[in-house]
Amino acid sequence: MAHMQRRWTLHTGLLSVWFVASFGLVFFARDLQMQVAGWPIAFWFAAQGALLVFVAVVVVFARVANRREAPEADFDSREFQLYTRRYHWRFAGLVLGLLAVLLALAWAEHWGLHKAWIAGIFLSLTLAVYALIGVYGRTSDAAEYYVAGRRIPGLYNGMATAADWMSAASFISLAGGLYLQGFSGSGGQPGGLAYIMGWTGGFCLVALLVAPYLRRLELYTVPDYFALRYGGRWPRRIAALAAVVVSFTYVVAQIYGVGLITSRITGVHFEIGILLGLGGVLVCSFLGGMRAVTWTQAVQYWVMILAFLIPLSWLAYKQVGNPLAPLAYGQQLHKIAVLEQELMDSPAEKQVVAEYAWRAEVLERKLLNVEQSLQSERQELRSRLNAIGVKADGEVANQLRRELAALPRDVALARERWSRQAVDYRERAKPLGGLAPHALPFEGDPAGSAEEQQTFQTSRLNFLALMFCLMVGTAGLPHLLTRYYTTPTVAETRRSVAWSLVFISLLYVSAPALAVLVKYEVMAHLVGQPFDALPAWMAQWSRDPSLLSFSDVNSDGILQFAELKIGPDLLMLASPEISGLPYVVSVLVAAGGLAAALSTADGLLLTIGNALAHDVYFEGGDTRVQTMRRVMWSKFALLVVALVAAYVAAQRPAGILYLVAASFSLAGAAFVPAMVLGIFWPGATRLGAIGGMLSGLAVTAYYLVINQAGVRQSLGLVGSGLWFGIQPVSAGIFGVSAGLVVTVILSVVSSQQSRQGNR
């Protein structure tokens, strides 16, 4: 009893600290605007302070819980220490070798080696290392394939988990999202530092509520837990279905990132880039399962973190004279605030804003009668072309032909295109091109008009809802939880969660710094420049308008801030060129982005294949013949799912960040209520778990789908369809609530019926 009381005291105390450091302080962020050491205190805490608290919570829990727990009897700690030490030397050699290759290629670039050779050598070398690990780690043994033999040291499992976790969304899109969204984003697009706090604070829930308890059961997959805890086929099957849905949504985003990077570096088409990158994924996950994937991901972590920190450190040194960017970028926040005010007061910027507002009005008038507007525009262009001469070859005639060819083919396409453009123009017709002031928490004004107060409340609510979904979703992601099955003991699992968060935090405290430094670079050094004097990297990246676009809207020959549109996927990929670094660093960044996408795709495809083969087809059977066939079918399912995901990614669905955030909502709603209640509440029943998982998934999926513009238009629905103003990216807040309530109610009802039946 005393042991249980101490455990609950530890859990309650640390969870209280976690709650206050996240939801508590964020709620009052607008009131915490005082400057401390040059930092707005609310911004510093959301970008860095909360992460330090989260790391402290996980480390304290691991140390205290491990000290209280007796060592496992069959665990040889001395032999494990020798085993771990051998890997220290191996990884030190790998990292030093990577740095040596970079220096050698930088020297070769200085002496004239062609860029294509630099890219080919470095990318081929990194992919060859991943492939060699995959071939070396090949296995058909179930324990090795599913959980790497349960002998991965916590430190290296932490590296692998960090690589698995820091997907293409974190590496490629996060800094760009922070550039666009600032502290909290807008009411229509919440985000900003909610991603930083949500994706790190969730590890407190993983450490305190989930990972050690699942590891103690010596399982292979997350659906295994539902079969063991609740019994019967349906809990396992539903959990397996949810694992496939969640992981597939997530893996499509990663394969999209693979195609984006591979096509950028090699110059091949996007679809071919996807297939090339997919080969790198399959070599590791197909041949060696978790055994090969773990060691590959540990290597990929170092490629990723070096790729992120090198250009960031150089940019920080150029701007503030200090390469430790997370410590030094606070002074740029004040400069950005001054520049933002100057831009809002600029007559030239106001001209651009007025032009965008006029364009939006023109499109909105066209949308009143799309068919007539389309016919009129087509007839006008044809009349002007006929007046010049249909076969004329002048510049004006060619321009008219291009405009005529660019018109929508039919009414439906015209309505969709004009609606999208009108929304974009309306957004860019706002001050700062629609971007919120970078360090300002939440839109609106709590002391302003009724409308401004409502905007503020909605913005804050969306920020908190998104943060909640990311945290709870972290505790439910199957590919993340399975990583903690690979450690030799429960104590090592706790250490592994702590190491995971430490390694992840290195990138997550750096992403806001990159966003701030690049925004200052743009505002101070790009805006106000003549169009013919813009740096070469802008012309190169503007070939893809989704990454970068700019045009002289007010025809003054000078770039205004509102005339520049940067996509979230550009910032990190272009950071070496923005910083003025050699091309070899650009190749390193591309390799880092590729490693981020490949490492996460490895884990996700493995999770899907295992769920289909182990949990659906064989339902956990454990005879020797079944075990061998189960591994074989897992590999086959992995291959099929990889090809399907590649096809979906080739259709260029929603942005990487949105797809990933949606998968977190699905994971949290599907798994967390039934899983956590099953761990800590003996009264949770099979019926409660089934009802909770199904209701959580159904509510989340419904809210995500019904609030898509295309779906609402096709169904003839009017209005926003939002509940309490919460955006669909945070659908998990409703799904988790529904799953929790249904699980509890059905568990209580079924328990009462069972007791009455026993009487």
Side-chain angles (χ1 to χ4, degrees), residues 117 190 555 679:
W117 279 100
S555 303
I679 292 171

Side-chain angles (χ1 to χ4, degrees), residues 181 184-195 458-459 461-466 657 725-730:
Q181 297 170 1
S184 55
S186 63
Q189 191 180 20
L193 297 178
Y195 289 107
T458 302
S459 178
L461 181 61
N462 271 289
F463 187 95
L464 293 170
L466 178 58
L657 210 57
I726 291 178
Q727 294 296 317
V729 72
S730 303

